[in-house]
Amino acid sequence: VLCVRPLQVFLATRGSDLSIRERSFIAWVAPRGIVAAAIASIVGRSLESAGVAGGTELRALVFLTIACTVVVTGLSAGWVGRWLGVRLPGREGVAILGAGGLGIALGQALRDGGRDVTFLDSNPHKSRVVEELGFPVVFGNAIQERTLQRAGFEAVETAVALTGNKTLNGVFVNRAKEIFGVPRGLVAATEVDGGLVSELVESEAADVIFDGHHDIDRWDPRWHRGDVEVIRCGYLPPPDGDPPASAEDFAGTGSGERYVILALERGGQIRPMSMNLSLREGDVAQVAIHLPEAREAVAELESLGWSAARGASQEAG
């Protein structure tokens, strides 16, 4: 355990890309005991056949040793991994499919709140824009497993599909959940009227991104013209007796796409907004508003319980 096994591992991994810390971790937790158990059984049976005592005890000793080492290394693996610095990060990242205007606004809001954000896009121009803004970008077909691997989906907590193609959005989120076990999936859709997106939402495997159904493509030219500003809004719940609010109550489609609630801050943590997310007193939202309709957007938000504070503009090239 302390000498032979580490020596074997270090000899076997010479010339590999593994670091010293990774090789040390392998030496501590790698499978062991299969060969020893097989040989002990053969030797024990041979001893018994030759009339030599101790064959049964030998097998018991070997299996007890194997069990003890497995228990010790198994229980200590997490601590050793942290000590060596080789543990994978927890699922805290957000992966956004679609580097359009609302995607950039959402990514900036999440990054400012301390979340790791990665973009995926097959458009080279859009990929270059978000890369220049300092975001990690994976260029390629986002429904291919190798593309998701390059994006580090083993550390992704929320997969957000922000394209104008509802079918692509559904497939992307579905594959992220099935292949990599991503806990939370959010899809953009102008409406949920059947198909994969409808199945995901109805089964609660995914939710609609933002405060409701929005036309993602309509916001791209607005963003590039500089007609979008992101503001912070605090939420005050309705008086006692009124039903509790949910994000669906604040859908922007009916207001002519004057605003989109991008993300919600609660308890010092920020997350992408979703249609079925219940709101609480003290919640703070990052809201994208269409500047030519800013007065109407702010007035509508305030009528729905949001207290808007202008001046929190975020620009993106």
Side-chain angles (χ1 to χ4, degrees), residues 161-299:
L162 275 180
T163 76
N165 186 327
K166 188 173 67 173
T167 300
L168 174 60
N169 292 342
V171 173
F172 170 75
V173 167
N174 191 54
R175 289 184 65 80
K177 296 179 73 68
E178 286 186 348
I179 299 175
F180 292 93
V182 174
R184 190 174 184 221
L186 301 175
V187 294
T190 53
E191 58 182 352
V192 178
D193 56 353
L196 180 57
V197 168
S198 179
E199 294 177 6
L200 291 171
V201 173
E202 290 176 0
S203 65
E204 298 184 353
D207 197 1
V208 176
I209 183 65
F210 304 138
D211 50 299
H213 305 297
H214 285 284
D215 187 345
I216 303 300
D217 293 335
R218 182 185 296 188
W219 284 84
D220 282 356
R222 294 176 173 182
W223 181 267
H224 292 296
R225 288 195 306 264
D227 288 342
V228 178
E229 181 182 18
V230 177
I231 64 174
R232 290 167 59 86
C233 297
Y235 177 66
L236 183 66
D240 293 340
D242 291 350
S246 67
E248 190 174 5
D249 298 325
F250 307 102
T253 301
S255 63
E257 297 283 358
R258 297 187 182 101
Y259 63 85
V260 176
I261 302 179
L262 302 169
L264 194 73
E265 301 174 29
R266 176 184 296 169
Q269 296 183 336
I270 189 168
R271 70 183 74 179
M273 190 65 160
S274 58
M275 190 171 68
N276 293 312
L277 180 62
S278 297
L279 302 173
R280 302 176 186 171
E281 182 176 1
D283 286 346
V284 177
Q286 298 276 356
V287 185
I289 61 173
H290 185 215
L291 286 177
E293 302 176 288
R295 186 187 302 272
E296 295 86 348
V298 171

Side-chain angles (χ1 to χ4, degrees), residues 10 22 29 55 140-141 155 160 183 185 244 252 309:
F10 275 84
E22 292 168 336
V29 303
N141 186 343
V160 180

